[in-house]
Amino acid sequence: MAQRQCQSANRYKRQAESLSLLPQDNSDPRAKATTAVKANFITPRDPVIETANGGRLPAVPLAEAEKLNRLRDEALHQGSRGGAQAVRRAASELAGAQETDDGATTDDQISGQSIRTGAPLSSAIPPPKTHPLFPQLPLYGPPTFLRNLQALGFQISSAFLSLAFLGTIVLGSLFTSIPLLLQHVYLRLTFRDPHARRPFHEEEKRRKKARRESAKAWKQQRRRRDQALPKHSLDDVLGFCPGNDFKPTEGGKDPVICDIGYYARRVGLGVEEFNVQTEDGFILDLWHVYSPNEYTALSFSDRGRDGPVVFPKIYQENGNGTASQQYPLGKQRYPVLLIHGLLQSVGAYCTNDDDSLAFYLAKAGYDVWLGNNRCGFQPQHQMLTYSDPRMWNWNIRQMGVMDLPAFISRVLSETGFPKLGLVCHSQGTTETFVALAKEQRPDIGNKISIVCALAPAVYAGPLIGKMYFKFMRIISPGMFRLVFGIHSFIPLMMMMHRWLPGRLYGALGYRVFSFLFNWSDAKWERDLRDRMFQFAPVYVSAESMRWWLGRECFATQKCILATREEGRREEAEDADVDVSLEEYFENGKVHSSELRGEGSSGQKWRGRNAWYDEQVPPFALWVAGSDELVDGRRLLRRFERGREPHVRIVRQKIIEEYEHLDVIWAMDMIEQIGREVKEVIWRTASAEAREMCRVPQGCEDVDIWDDILER
């Protein structure tokens, strides 16, 4: 018995060492404290390693996490063998592994990956055949000299090869800009305004003039601030008038900087930054937008990172958060969380002055929170550093399963509300739709009153077939890592962001992104365009971009939650239904609701592959009709066809002339989307929340949504 216990303890020790932060033979005093202890399963397929000092390490293969817990169980409970053997058999079946003679499963047998200390990085590449939508991530064990040297090799190769790729894109964007430049020069030489054809040209001129006058008045105010000024002489120009509670505390000429707080102060608001820790140890930025007239920013300690546990019971029982205590009873603000898109940050919601969605909702009466996904502008982790490949070993699944719940938990804990409204754009909708799926974390649906999806990125648009995207799709995973590395995706972009002047960077950024994604600034305010690109790009992992554009996932499957074969099968079924509908309207043989899947039997049949269960919150969707990056119409068809029997649509709208970024930056975005978002959030707030909160401006006549009637 003693020998068996010793063998079990040794196997557990070896497995724990292979998943620890540092090699156990390392002289670093942190080595013992950061030894892997057990695996915590956030979802049945998302394990996180917990270390001896309570730290968290991300992205470990499922079979390796199960093996760690099995060996730990054996070491602690040697006398009880039945449960441990059952776990071992389940792990072996999942990985297709064979047990060794002594009953243990070897590392390479379980996952097809080597986790031996000092093993080459090439052996960390996952098996070629994995889950088609969420393939297994590489496994990087503790760093050693050899592994660090190999990681450096990837960094060097990707620095040159990704630079060549980026240089090709930049040259392509400049080359395609030549005809536009020549046309612009020709119109100028013929004494015509090259911008006269823009749809909001007159409004742009009016706003530019008003902004120039405001900057001039602000400069005069600063120069003469110690002198007595005639009453309202500057207030009228700056927009200060009786009843206006939002007086700017910044002004003058726009310096074009990457600073949410600065642009909030320009419109009379303030922001405070919170640190949020995910369950796998990443530190995220969460920004709170507030009115300085009725709210005082919390202390730094109150805004520090919380623990890795989300939705603790103490928050659920509290009913009154720290931030919401500053508002009088009955005048609280209903919480709204905004999540950004791919390669962007939440600053994208704050670039259009008062027409920015974040500032518009805040001034309307909502408690607005802005969540930056992992890494962003300043990559931070509880234990990992920038150079560690494990810092970058994540994709959209981890963002949805880890980041989104962490944001929601912190906002609800600070506000004391049981639910919040969620507004997301592009990739933000992707992580939300992934997280809410019944195989992921459907329980967070109980914390969301409404999901407002702007340009929902669920199905791929025709742009995915462009040559430069196709190149990323056809190369192998190994070649992808050689070209783009195993750390941050093309970090040179972030260096350019830091080095180049704001206006030059904004102009170059627009040209490059316009070339890549085939959109224009026709509906944006040109005077603010350089400001818009100060908040993009951000740090993202090469693995995340491989999920979007690589061989295995979104670019190939054309969907985030269904394979290409499943999509084709459903489209064929829908085509058959369309034919039957035509016959019905001609002959009247079958009831149309049965054909559409609206009857009880039809609904069950059409919803047999549903992504969501009864916990899914209601949706409101705004689709850009001219969006070539994603196909929002196909998502609406899925809902209309009854493929998701549990999904309730509060509002859906297709804006035909809008492109992908117009849903947040178009000059008429507030009229087309912002007001409807404001009303939909209030409409779906519970009766109890509406009693606690002030009524948002313009929502006095908005009735509460009757979920039962809508069903």
Side-chain angles (χ1 to χ4, degrees):
M1 178 64 71
Q3 185 178 4
R4 285 178 175 269
Q5 291 178 345
C6 183
Q7 291 176 349
S8 298
N10 288 334
R11 288 197 296 268
Y12 169 66
K13 180 181 178 182
R14 289 195 299 270
Q15 180 70 3
E17 289 177 350
S18 67
L19 300 175
S20 299
L21 176 67
L22 298 171
Q24 294 307 296
D25 57 356
N26 195 307
S27 59
D28 193 320
R30 297 178 300 161
K32 297 298 181 183
T34 56
T35 301
V37 174
K38 63 179 179 179
N40 294 325
F41 283 81
I42 308 305
T43 76
R45 298 191 62 84
D46 291 284
V48 171
I49 296 299
E50 182 175 337
T51 60
N53 62 356
R56 300 294 180 96
L57 292 173
V60 58
L62 177 64
E64 299 298 342
E66 289 183 332
K67 180 183 178 183
L68 177 67
N69 284 355
R70 170 175 59 82
L71 295 176
R72 181 175 184 269
D73 182 73
E74 288 182 358
L76 294 176
H77 308 285
Q78 184 65 37
S80 177
R81 304 275 312 167
Q85 290 174 348
V87 174
R88 180 191 303 124
R89 287 194 298 271
S92 299
E93 291 173 1
L94 180 63
Q98 298 287 333
E99 288 196 350
T100 59
D101 294 338
D102 65 350
T105 308
T106 65
D107 299 340
D108 295 345
Q109 287 171 331
I110 284 185
S111 66
Q113 298 173 304
S114 174
I115 57 175
R116 299 186 306 274
T117 301
L121 283 179
S122 59
S123 63
I125 297 177
K129 293 184 179 180
T130 55
H131 194 286
L133 295 171
F134 303 104
Q136 185 170 287
L137 292 170
L139 174 61
Y140 303 110
T144 63
F145 174 77
L146 177 60
R147 181 151 295 186
N148 290 341
L149 187 63
Q150 292 172 322
L152 179 62
F154 274 110
Q155 286 183 297
I156 294 174
S157 69
S158 63
F160 287 100
L161 295 177
S162 65
L163 175 61
F165 178 82
L166 180 62
T168 303
I169 299 297
V170 172
L171 290 176
S173 67
L174 295 177
F175 180 78
T176 55
S177 299
I178 293 176
L180 297 176
L181 177 62
L182 294 177
Q183 183 184 27
H184 184 95
V185 172
Y186 172 75
L187 291 173
R188 287 291 187 190
L189 292 176
T190 54
F191 304 100
R192 286 180 287 177
D193 186 352
H195 307 304
R197 296 181 180 180
R198 294 173 62 85
F200 302 106
H201 180 56
E202 294 301 323
E203 177 64 15
E204 283 186 280
K205 291 196 299 183
R206 187 194 66 79
R207 292 188 184 185
K208 185 174 183 179
K209 180 180 178 181
R211 192 175 292 108
R212 188 185 302 116
E213 292 176 351
S214 178
K216 182 179 179 180
W218 182 269
K219 185 177 181 180
Q220 292 176 355
Q221 185 187 45
R222 289 179 61 88
R223 185 182 303 164
R224 301 162 53 194
R225 59 187 173 184
D226 296 329
Q227 303 176 8
L229 299 177
K231 189 176 182 180
H232 302 310
S233 61
L234 296 180
D235 288 1
D236 293 338
V237 177
L238 294 172
F240 302 170
C241 58
N244 183 5
D245 295 329
F246 304 101
K247 295 185 177 182
T249 54
E250 293 280 3
K253 184 179 179 181
D254 184 3
V256 189
I257 56 177
C258 180
D259 186 348
I260 294 176
Y262 172 78
Y263 291 112
R265 293 190 294 272
R266 284 180 70 98
V267 296
L269 295 170
V271 297
E272 57 181 346
E273 181 183 2
F274 288 74
N275 287 329
V276 177
Q277 181 174 327
T278 66
E279 291 162 294
D280 57 349
F282 283 88
I283 310 300
L284 314 179
D285 297 330
L286 177 66
W287 298 85
H288 180 213
V289 183
Y290 62 87
S291 171
N293 293 329
E294 58 179 356
Y295 181 91
T296 302
L298 301 179
S299 66
F300 178 79
S301 59
D302 289 334
R303 293 183 282 113
R305 70 189 190 198
D306 49 2
V309 178
V310 298
F311 308 121
K313 291 183 178 180
I314 185 174
Y315 294 155
Q316 300 172 9
E317 298 170 354
N318 191 352
N320 193 12
T322 304
S324 62
Q325 290 178 357
Q326 298 193 38
Y327 300 114
L329 188 63
K331 293 295 183 179
Q332 292 177 313
R333 292 169 171 255
Y334 191 72
V336 179
L337 172 63
L338 280 67
I339 304 295
H340 59 83
L342 177 64
L343 292 172
Q344 287 188 319
S345 68
V346 286
Y349 291 113
C350 306
T351 59
N352 290 41
D353 293 332
D354 282 326
D355 288 327
S356 305
L357 185 58
F359 300 156
Y360 173 77
L361 294 176
K363 289 191 175 184
Y366 286 109
D367 196 10
V368 175
W369 300 75
L370 311 171
N372 271 335
N373 282 311
R374 57 184 58 197
C375 291
F377 285 109
Q378 295 180 331
Q380 296 182 74
H381 189 273
Q382 180 189 19
M383 304 177 71
L384 300 174
T385 60
Y386 180 96
S387 60
D388 195 319
R390 291 172 291 184
M391 179 79 167
W392 305 96
N393 199 21
W394 48 268
N395 58 33
I396 195 68
R397 179 187 178 93
Q398 285 69 40
M399 295 167 71
V401 171
M402 308 288 182
D403 293 9
L404 185 60
F407 284 134
I408 295 174
S409 176
R410 187 61 183 270
V411 172
L412 295 182
S413 72
E414 295 294 337
T415 61
F417 283 83
K419 293 187 178 184
L420 53 73
L422 180 62
V423 180
C424 38
H425 170 244
S426 189
Q427 179 186 259
T429 68
T430 306
E431 64 182 275
T432 300
F433 282 112
V434 167
L436 292 172
K438 56 188 177 183
E439 291 86 5
Q440 315 297 336
R441 292 193 83 161
D443 56 301
I444 68 171
N446 299 317
K447 307 293 183 182
I448 303 172
S449 59
I450 181 70
V451 174
C452 296
L454 314 180
V458 175
Y459 291 99
L463 198 67
I464 205 72
K466 288 278 188 177
M467 177 189 65
Y468 35 84
F469 292 141
K470 188 176 293 185
F471 163 76
M472 302 173 77
R473 186 169 71 248
I474 63 176
I475 62 177
S476 67
M479 180 60 67
F480 192 100
R481 293 184 175 94
L482 187 68
V483 175
F484 298 106
I486 57 176
H487 295 82
S488 172
F489 180 75
I490 313 185
L492 178 64
M493 294 188 296
M494 298 304 299
M495 297 179 186
M496 295 173 64
H497 189 280
R498 290 192 298 267
W499 295 341
L500 295 180
R503 297 190 185 279
L504 175 59
Y505 177 82
L508 182 61
Y510 166 71
R511 289 299 173 196
V512 170
F513 280 88
S514 176
F515 172 75
L516 281 174
F517 302 114
N518 199 28
W519 57 51
S520 73
D521 64 347
K523 296 177 179 62
W524 311 347
E525 187 174 354
R526 292 187 67 256
D527 202 35
L528 302 181
R529 193 183 68 186
D530 293 340
R531 181 195 298 181
M532 295 170 180
F533 283 90
Q534 297 310 302
F535 298 95
V538 296
Y539 284 108
V540 297
S541 70
E543 281 296 327
S544 178
M545 295 304 296
R546 191 173 74 86
W547 185 90
W548 280 109
L549 302 172
R551 173 181 291 184
E552 299 166 290
C553 308
F554 182 74
T556 297
Q557 307 300 337
K558 303 294 191 296
C559 181
I560 65 171
L561 288 171
T563 63
R564 195 169 187 175
E565 290 72 22
E566 292 170 344
R568 287 173 173 171
R569 183 170 61 249
E570 291 181 356
E571 285 184 342
E573 293 172 356
D574 291 342
D576 292 340
V577 169
D578 289 338
V579 172
S580 300
L581 278 172
E582 292 179 4
E583 295 177 354
Y584 160 73
F585 285 116
E586 291 179 1
N587 305 318
K589 293 182 179 180
V590 186
H591 195 278
S592 62
S593 65
E594 296 180 9
L595 293 172
R596 291 184 182 276
E598 296 171 3
S600 58
S601 59
Q603 188 179 53
K604 183 177 180 181
W605 173 73
R606 298 188 66 77
R608 66 192 184 280
N609 294 322
W611 301 337
Y612 305 106
D613 60 19
E614 64 280 356
Q615 299 180 86
V616 66
F619 291 153
L621 305 105
W622 288 265
V623 172
S626 301
D627 192 345
E628 296 185 2
L629 184 59
V630 298
D631 189 351
R633 284 187 172 90
R634 190 173 175 186
L635 177 63
L636 296 183
R637 287 200 302 271
R638 178 179 180 84
F639 294 150
E640 292 168 354
R641 300 288 187 174
R643 296 288 180 187
E644 297 294 337
H646 295 292
V647 168
R648 296 147 292 160
I649 304 298
V650 182
R651 172 68 171 154
Q652 65 178 43
K653 181 179 182 180
I654 299 177
I655 309 173
E656 294 292 345
E657 67 276 14
Y658 266 26
E659 296 176 336
H660 192 69
L661 282 177
D662 292 341
V663 295
I664 57 173
W665 286 346
M667 291 185 66
D668 63 342
M669 181 273 298
I670 296 299
E671 290 74 21
Q672 293 277 18
I673 296 176
R675 291 174 182 170
E676 295 180 2
V677 169
K678 176 184 66 176
E679 293 173 1
V680 162
I681 295 173
W682 187 242
R683 187 183 178 202
T684 53
S686 66
E688 294 78 9
R690 289 165 70 109
E691 290 180 1
M692 295 171 57
C693 297
R694 68 189 70 188
V695 179
Q697 294 179 9
C699 295
E700 292 79 7
D701 298 327
V702 176
D703 295 328
I704 193 170
W705 185 55
D706 194 328
D707 193 4
I708 297 178
L709 292 179
E710 293 290 338
R711 286 177 183 270

